Amino acid sequence: MTKQSIFGRIAQLAKANINSLIDSAEDPKLMLDQMVRDYSNSISDAEGAIAETIGNLRLLEDDHREDVEATAEWGGKALAASRKADELRAAGNAVDADKFDNLAKVALGRQLQSEKEAKAAEPQIASQTTVVEQLKTGLNAMKEKLGQLSAKRDELIARSKTAAAQTKVMDAVKSIDIMDPTSEVSRFEDKIRREEAKVRGANELAASSLDAQFESLEDLGELTEVDARLAALKSSGASEIEK
């Protein structure tokens, strides 16, 4: 019952604190840090409760040890009184012998009472010893869980920072998509391409005009050659007539 009540109360408190933190969580780091603090406080509460339980066990053990010592002590007194009574009775002093026998009975009664108290405490001591060991084991488990929680906090904080950084990058990418400067560059590029095409067209046009001029020159050259040959024929024909 002691073990259940201690850890049950602490577990309910820790769970309530964690649920409250999760419901109102805004900053993951602050929330996780608070969870670690709350769990540490729960461990501290558990340590206090366990220390009190151990203290009660030690008191039971002290009382049991005193009862055992008292049992031995009263047994020794009963034996001493009985021996004294035997000595007095052997000496013929029956009155005093009876007194010491009565003292022996009183000592034996006290011895019996101490034995009963010692035996009655033994099951309780055994039970409390088991509870204390269970509480210590539970406390060690809580401390181990605290270590896991701390490690998980560090991991989650790192992941949260990474996610936040990724969110910033995605927001930046979205803003670039909305106001993409490369679209303006594309417009300039398209304009330049049109200008380049216009220049190429002008060059082609100029080239075609130049070709035509050269072709006319070639035709002129052919006509000149024809005229020259005609003149030569006329000249040669005149020479034949003169002969």
Side-chain angles (χ1 to χ4, degrees):
M1 290 296 293
T2 303
K3 174 177 180 290
Q4 181 63 32
S5 62
I6 291 173
F7 284 110
R9 176 172 58 84
I10 291 172
Q12 290 176 356
L13 178 62
K15 184 176 181 180
N17 289 344
I18 290 172
N19 289 339
S20 176
L21 285 170
I22 292 174
D23 291 340
S24 61
E26 293 182 0
D27 188 329
K29 182 179 185 303
L30 294 178
M31 182 197 73
L32 292 167
D33 287 342
Q34 187 61 47
M35 287 176 64
V36 171
R37 283 193 293 270
D38 286 345
Y39 203 76
S40 298
N41 291 336
S42 296
I43 290 177
S44 180
D45 292 340
E47 287 176 335
I50 294 171
E52 183 178 353
T53 303
I54 293 174
N56 292 334
L57 173 60
R58 298 298 175 250
L59 288 176
L60 286 174
E61 291 174 341
D62 290 342
D63 291 342
H64 178 265
R65 183 168 53 255
E66 290 177 1
D67 288 334
V68 171
E69 292 174 353
T71 297
E73 182 179 352
W74 285 114
K77 290 180 178 181
L79 179 59
S82 176
R83 287 178 178 176
K84 184 64 176 177
D86 291 343
E87 291 176 2
L88 292 172
R89 189 169 284 108
N93 189 348
V95 176
D96 289 338
D98 290 340
K99 290 180 180 179
F100 278 98
D101 278 337
N102 288 332
L103 286 175
K105 289 180 181 180
V106 171
L108 289 172
R110 298 286 180 86
Q111 182 188 42
L112 182 61
Q113 182 63 32
S114 296
E115 284 180 354
K116 288 180 179 179
E117 291 178 358
K119 289 181 180 179
E122 287 174 359
Q124 188 176 1
I125 290 173
S127 176
Q128 285 293 88
T129 299
T130 300
V131 169
V132 166
E133 292 304 317
Q134 291 175 342
L135 289 173
K136 288 180 178 179
T137 300
L139 181 61
N140 289 334
M142 288 182 70
K143 291 180 177 179
E144 182 178 352
K145 186 67 68 176
L146 176 61
Q148 295 174 357
L149 178 60
S150 298
K152 194 65 175 179
R153 173 200 57 185
D154 296 339
E155 175 194 343
L156 292 176
I157 288 175
R159 287 169 60 185
S160 176
K161 290 180 178 178
T162 301
Q166 290 175 336
T167 300
K168 289 182 179 179
V169 171
M170 292 303 297
D171 290 342
V173 170
K174 289 179 181 178
S175 66
I176 291 174
D177 290 339
I178 295 172
M179 301 180 64
D180 187 358
T182 59
S183 62
E184 299 298 323
V185 174
S186 298
R187 289 176 57 192
F188 284 118
E189 183 180 8
D190 186 59
K191 181 179 179 181
I192 292 170
R193 288 182 62 199
R194 288 198 298 271
E195 292 177 353
E196 290 175 342
K198 183 178 180 181
V199 171
R200 285 162 54 193
N203 288 337
E204 289 181 10
L205 181 60
S208 63
S209 298
L210 188 62
D211 289 342
Q213 291 177 18
F214 277 110
E215 288 176 359
S216 64
L217 289 175
E218 290 176 358
D219 292 341
L220 181 60
E222 290 179 357
L223 292 174
T224 302
E225 180 65 23
V226 169
D227 290 339
R229 289 190 179 188
L230 178 60
L233 286 174
K234 290 182 179 293
S235 176
S236 62
S239 298
E240 290 293 331
I241 292 173
E242 289 177 357
K243 291 179 178 180

mmCIF file with all atom_site columns, all heavy atoms in Angstrom, residues 59-72:
data_model
loop_
_atom_site.group_PDB
_atom_site.id
_atom_site.type_symbol
_atom_site.label_atom_id
_atom_site.label_alt_id
_atom_site.label_comp_id
_atom_site.label_asym_id
_atom_site.label_entity_id
_atom_site.label_seq_id
_atom_site.pdbx_PDB_ins_code
_atom_site.Cartn_x
_atom_site.Cartn_y
_atom_site.Cartn_z
_atom_site.occupancy
_atom_site.B_iso_or_equiv
_atom_site.pdbx_formal_charge
_atom_site.auth_seq_id
_atom_site.auth_comp_id
_atom_site.auth_asym_id
_atom_site.auth_atom_id
_atom_site.pdbx_PDB_model_num
ATOM 1   N N   . LEU A 1 59 ? 13.044 2.650   12.668 1.00 0.00 ? 59 LEU A N   1
ATOM 2   C CA  . LEU A 1 59 ? 12.462 2.743   14.013 1.00 0.00 ? 59 LEU A CA  1
ATOM 3   C C   . LEU A 1 59 ? 11.902 1.392   14.458 1.00 0.00 ? 59 LEU A C   1
ATOM 4   O O   . LEU A 1 59 ? 12.085 0.987   15.617 1.00 0.00 ? 59 LEU A O   1
ATOM 5   C CB  . LEU A 1 59 ? 11.349 3.798   14.023 1.00 0.00 ? 59 LEU A CB  1
ATOM 6   C CG  . LEU A 1 59 ? 11.795 5.258   13.936 1.00 0.00 ? 59 LEU A CG  1
ATOM 7   C CD1 . LEU A 1 59 ? 10.576 6.174   13.851 1.00 0.00 ? 59 LEU A CD1 1
ATOM 8   C CD2 . LEU A 1 59 ? 12.658 5.641   15.142 1.00 0.00 ? 59 LEU A CD2 1
ATOM 9   N N   . LEU A 1 60 ? 11.219 0.711   13.524 1.00 0.00 ? 60 LEU A N   1
ATOM 10  C CA  . LEU A 1 60 ? 10.711 -0.629  13.845 1.00 0.00 ? 60 LEU A CA  1
ATOM 11  C C   . LEU A 1 60 ? 11.851 -1.576  14.194 1.00 0.00 ? 60 LEU A C   1
ATOM 12  O O   . LEU A 1 60 ? 11.749 -2.373  15.147 1.00 0.00 ? 60 LEU A O   1
ATOM 13  C CB  . LEU A 1 60 ? 9.925  -1.181  12.655 1.00 0.00 ? 60 LEU A CB  1
ATOM 14  C CG  . LEU A 1 60 ? 8.532  -0.591  12.388 1.00 0.00 ? 60 LEU A CG  1
ATOM 15  C CD1 . LEU A 1 60 ? 7.971  -1.149  11.083 1.00 0.00 ? 60 LEU A CD1 1
ATOM 16  C CD2 . LEU A 1 60 ? 7.588  -0.900  13.548 1.00 0.00 ? 60 LEU A CD2 1
ATOM 17  N N   . GLU A 1 61 ? 12.931 -1.492  13.428 1.00 0.00 ? 61 GLU A N   1
ATOM 18  C CA  . GLU A 1 61 ? 14.085 -2.359  13.692 1.00 0.00 ? 61 GLU A CA  1
ATOM 19  C C   . GLU A 1 61 ? 14.717 -2.020  15.033 1.00 0.00 ? 61 GLU A C   1
ATOM 20  O O   . GLU A 1 61 ? 15.143 -2.938  15.776 1.00 0.00 ? 61 GLU A O   1
ATOM 21  C CB  . GLU A 1 61 ? 15.105 -2.203  12.560 1.00 0.00 ? 61 GLU A CB  1
ATOM 22  C CG  . GLU A 1 61 ? 14.626 -2.783  11.227 1.00 0.00 ? 61 GLU A CG  1
ATOM 23  C CD  . GLU A 1 61 ? 15.581 -2.482  10.081 1.00 0.00 ? 61 GLU A CD  1
ATOM 24  O OE1 . GLU A 1 61 ? 16.396 -1.544  10.223 1.00 0.00 ? 61 GLU A OE1 1
ATOM 25  O OE2 . GLU A 1 61 ? 15.519 -3.182  9.052  1.00 0.00 ? 61 GLU A OE2 1
ATOM 26  N N   . ASP A 1 62 ? 14.779 -0.727  15.361 1.00 0.00 ? 62 ASP A N   1
ATOM 27  C CA  . ASP A 1 62 ? 15.339 -0.330  16.670 1.00 0.00 ? 62 ASP A CA  1
ATOM 28  C C   . ASP A 1 62 ? 14.473 -0.875  17.803 1.00 0.00 ? 62 ASP A C   1
ATOM 29  O O   . ASP A 1 62 ? 14.995 -1.412  18.802 1.00 0.00 ? 62 ASP A O   1
ATOM 30  C CB  . ASP A 1 62 ? 15.414 1.197   16.768 1.00 0.00 ? 62 ASP A CB  1
ATOM 31  C CG  . ASP A 1 62 ? 16.469 1.773   15.846 1.00 0.00 ? 62 ASP A CG  1
ATOM 32  O OD1 . ASP A 1 62 ? 17.355 1.025   15.392 1.00 0.00 ? 62 ASP A OD1 1
ATOM 33  O OD2 . ASP A 1 62 ? 16.407 2.995   15.565 1.00 0.00 ? 62 ASP A OD2 1
ATOM 34  N N   . ASP A 1 63 ? 13.146 -0.726  17.655 1.00 0.00 ? 63 ASP A N   1
ATOM 35  C CA  . ASP A 1 63 ? 12.244 -1.233  18.698 1.00 0.00 ? 63 ASP A CA  1
ATOM 36  C C   . ASP A 1 63 ? 12.357 -2.749  18.824 1.00 0.00 ? 63 ASP A C   1
ATOM 37  O O   . ASP A 1 63 ? 12.357 -3.301  19.944 1.00 0.00 ? 63 ASP A O   1
ATOM 38  C CB  . ASP A 1 63 ? 10.791 -0.852  18.372 1.00 0.00 ? 63 ASP A CB  1
ATOM 39  C CG  . ASP A 1 63 ? 10.545 0.645   18.489 1.00 0.00 ? 63 ASP A CG  1
ATOM 40  O OD1 . ASP A 1 63 ? 11.360 1.336   19.138 1.00 0.00 ? 63 ASP A OD1 1
ATOM 41  O OD2 . ASP A 1 63 ? 9.532  1.126   17.927 1.00 0.00 ? 63 ASP A OD2 1
ATOM 42  N N   . HIS A 1 64 ? 12.477 -3.429  17.680 1.00 0.00 ? 64 HIS A N   1
ATOM 43  C CA  . HIS A 1 64 ? 12.605 -4.886  17.702 1.00 0.00 ? 64 HIS A CA  1
ATOM 44  C C   . HIS A 1 64 ? 13.908 -5.294  18.381 1.00 0.00 ? 64 HIS A C   1
ATOM 45  O O   . HIS A 1 64 ? 13.935 -6.241  19.195 1.00 0.00 ? 64 HIS A O   1
ATOM 46  C CB  . HIS A 1 64 ? 12.568 -5.430  16.274 1.00 0.00 ? 64 HIS A CB  1
ATOM 47  C CG  . HIS A 1 64 ? 12.750 -6.918  16.199 1.00 0.00 ? 64 HIS A CG  1
ATOM 48  N ND1 . HIS A 1 64 ? 13.977 -7.520  15.984 1.00 0.00 ? 64 HIS A ND1 1
ATOM 49  C CD2 . HIS A 1 64 ? 11.847 -7.938  16.335 1.00 0.00 ? 64 HIS A CD2 1
ATOM 50  C CE1 . HIS A 1 64 ? 13.835 -8.823  15.969 1.00 0.00 ? 64 HIS A CE1 1
ATOM 51  N NE2 . HIS A 1 64 ? 12.561 -9.113  16.174 1.00 0.00 ? 64 HIS A NE2 1
ATOM 52  N N   . ARG A 1 65 ? 14.961 -4.575  18.052 1.00 0.00 ? 65 ARG A N   1
ATOM 53  C CA  . ARG A 1 65 ? 16.245 -4.886  18.669 1.00 0.00 ? 65 ARG A CA  1
ATOM 54  C C   . ARG A 1 65 ? 16.183 -4.660  20.193 1.00 0.00 ? 65 ARG A C   1
ATOM 55  O O   . ARG A 1 65 ? 16.716 -5.465  20.979 1.00 0.00 ? 65 ARG A O   1
ATOM 56  C CB  . ARG A 1 65 ? 17.338 -4.014  18.062 1.00 0.00 ? 65 ARG A CB  1
ATOM 57  C CG  . ARG A 1 65 ? 18.740 -4.334  18.609 1.00 0.00 ? 65 ARG A CG  1
ATOM 58  C CD  . ARG A 1 65 ? 19.828 -3.673  17.788 1.00 0.00 ? 65 ARG A CD  1
ATOM 59  N NE  . ARG A 1 65 ? 19.608 -2.226  17.644 1.00 0.00 ? 65 ARG A NE  1
ATOM 60  C CZ  . ARG A 1 65 ? 19.174 -1.652  16.541 1.00 0.00 ? 65 ARG A CZ  1
ATOM 61  N NH1 . ARG A 1 65 ? 18.872 -2.392  15.477 1.00 0.00 ? 65 ARG A NH1 1
ATOM 62  N NH2 . ARG A 1 65 ? 19.003 -0.344  16.487 1.00 0.00 ? 65 ARG A NH2 1
ATOM 63  N N   . GLU A 1 66 ? 15.524 -3.599  20.618 1.00 0.00 ? 66 GLU A N   1
ATOM 64  C CA  . GLU A 1 66 ? 15.372 -3.336  22.058 1.00 0.00 ? 66 GLU A CA  1
ATOM 65  C C   . GLU A 1 66 ? 14.543 -4.430  22.721 1.00 0.00 ? 66 GLU A C   1
ATOM 66  O O   . GLU A 1 66 ? 14.850 -4.860  23.853 1.00 0.00 ? 66 GLU A O   1
ATOM 67  C CB  . GLU A 1 66 ? 14.702 -1.979  22.272 1.00 0.00 ? 66 GLU A CB  1
ATOM 68  C CG  . GLU A 1 66 ? 15.601 -0.801  21.910 1.00 0.00 ? 66 GLU A CG  1
ATOM 69  C CD  . GLU A 1 66 ? 14.886 0.528   22.067 1.00 0.00 ? 66 GLU A CD  1
ATOM 70  O OE1 . GLU A 1 66 ? 13.698 0.507   22.480 1.00 0.00 ? 66 GLU A OE1 1
ATOM 71  O OE2 . GLU A 1 66 ? 15.497 1.570   21.784 1.00 0.00 ? 66 GLU A OE2 1
ATOM 72  N N   . ASP A 1 67 ? 13.494 -4.922  22.039 1.00 0.00 ? 67 ASP A N   1
ATOM 73  C CA  . ASP A 1 67 ? 12.666 -6.004  22.605 1.00 0.00 ? 67 ASP A CA  1
ATOM 74  C C   . ASP A 1 67 ? 13.476 -7.284  22.741 1.00 0.00 ? 67 ASP A C   1
ATOM 75  O O   . ASP A 1 67 ? 13.353 -8.023  23.732 1.00 0.00 ? 67 ASP A O   1
ATOM 76  C CB  . ASP A 1 67 ? 11.439 -6.251  21.719 1.00 0.00 ? 67 ASP A CB  1
ATOM 77  C CG  . ASP A 1 67 ? 10.419 -5.136  21.821 1.00 0.00 ? 67 ASP A CG  1
ATOM 78  O OD1 . ASP A 1 67 ? 10.393 -4.461  22.869 1.00 0.00 ? 67 ASP A OD1 1
ATOM 79  O OD2 . ASP A 1 67 ? 9.646  -4.936  20.859 1.00 0.00 ? 67 ASP A OD2 1
ATOM 80  N N   . VAL A 1 68 ? 14.310 -7.568  21.723 1.00 0.00 ? 68 VAL A N   1
ATOM 81  C CA  . VAL A 1 68 ? 15.157 -8.771  21.786 1.00 0.00 ? 68 VAL A CA  1
ATOM 82  C C   . VAL A 1 68 ? 16.151 -8.652  22.927 1.00 0.00 ? 68 VAL A C   1
ATOM 83  O O   . VAL A 1 68 ? 16.371 -9.614  23.692 1.00 0.00 ? 68 VAL A O   1
ATOM 84  C CB  . VAL A 1 68 ? 15.891 -8.971  20.443 1.00 0.00 ? 68 VAL A CB  1
ATOM 85  C CG1 . VAL A 1 68 ? 16.932 -10.081 20.563 1.00 0.00 ? 68 VAL A CG1 1
ATOM 86  C CG2 . VAL A 1 68 ? 14.893 -9.303  19.340 1.00 0.00 ? 68 VAL A CG2 1
ATOM 87  N N   . GLU A 1 69 ? 16.757 -7.480  23.062 1.00 0.00 ? 69 GLU A N   1
ATOM 88  C CA  . GLU A 1 69 ? 17.706 -7.253  24.152 1.00 0.00 ? 69 GLU A CA  1
ATOM 89  C C   . GLU A 1 69 ? 17.008 -7.325  25.503 1.00 0.00 ? 69 GLU A C   1
ATOM 90  O O   . GLU A 1 69 ? 17.551 -7.890  26.473 1.00 0.00 ? 69 GLU A O   1
ATOM 91  C CB  . GLU A 1 69 ? 18.390 -5.895  23.982 1.00 0.00 ? 69 GLU A CB  1
ATOM 92  C CG  . GLU A 1 69 ? 19.332 -5.836  22.777 1.00 0.00 ? 69 GLU A CG  1
ATOM 93  C CD  . GLU A 1 69 ? 19.888 -4.446  22.542 1.00 0.00 ? 69 GLU A CD  1
ATOM 94  O OE1 . GLU A 1 69 ? 19.429 -3.507  23.253 1.00 0.00 ? 69 GLU A OE1 1
ATOM 95  O OE2 . GLU A 1 69 ? 20.750 -4.280  21.655 1.00 0.00 ? 69 GLU A OE2 1
ATOM 96  N N   . ALA A 1 70 ? 15.782 -6.781  25.555 1.00 0.00 ? 70 ALA A N   1
ATOM 97  C CA  . ALA A 1 70 ? 15.017 -6.824  26.813 1.00 0.00 ? 70 ALA A CA  1
ATOM 98  C C   . ALA A 1 70 ? 14.645 -8.250  27.170 1.00 0.00 ? 70 ALA A C   1
ATOM 99  O O   . ALA A 1 70 ? 14.658 -8.650  28.361 1.00 0.00 ? 70 ALA A O   1
ATOM 100 C CB  . ALA A 1 70 ? 13.764 -5.975  26.687 1.00 0.00 ? 70 ALA A CB  1
ATOM 101 N N   . THR A 1 71 ? 14.333 -9.053  26.156 1.00 0.00 ? 71 THR A N   1
ATOM 102 C CA  . THR A 1 71 ? 13.997 -10.463 26.396 1.00 0.00 ? 71 THR A CA  1
ATOM 103 C C   . THR A 1 71 ? 15.177 -11.184 27.041 1.00 0.00 ? 71 THR A C   1
ATOM 104 O O   . THR A 1 71 ? 15.014 -11.933 28.033 1.00 0.00 ? 71 THR A O   1
ATOM 105 C CB  . THR A 1 71 ? 13.628 -11.149 25.071 1.00 0.00 ? 71 THR A CB  1
ATOM 106 O OG1 . THR A 1 71 ? 12.472 -10.533 24.528 1.00 0.00 ? 71 THR A OG1 1
ATOM 107 C CG2 . THR A 1 71 ? 13.358 -12.634 25.284 1.00 0.00 ? 71 THR A CG2 1
ATOM 108 N N   . ALA A 1 72 ? 16.362 -10.941 26.489 1.00 0.00 ? 72 ALA A N   1
ATOM 109 C CA  . ALA A 1 72 ? 17.557 -11.580 27.057 1.00 0.00 ? 72 ALA A CA  1
ATOM 110 C C   . ALA A 1 72 ? 17.839 -11.046 28.457 1.00 0.00 ? 72 ALA A C   1
ATOM 111 O O   . ALA A 1 72 ? 18.211 -11.821 29.378 1.00 0.00 ? 72 ALA A O   1
ATOM 112 C CB  . ALA A 1 72 ? 18.746 -11.334 26.143 1.00 0.00 ? 72 ALA A CB  1
#
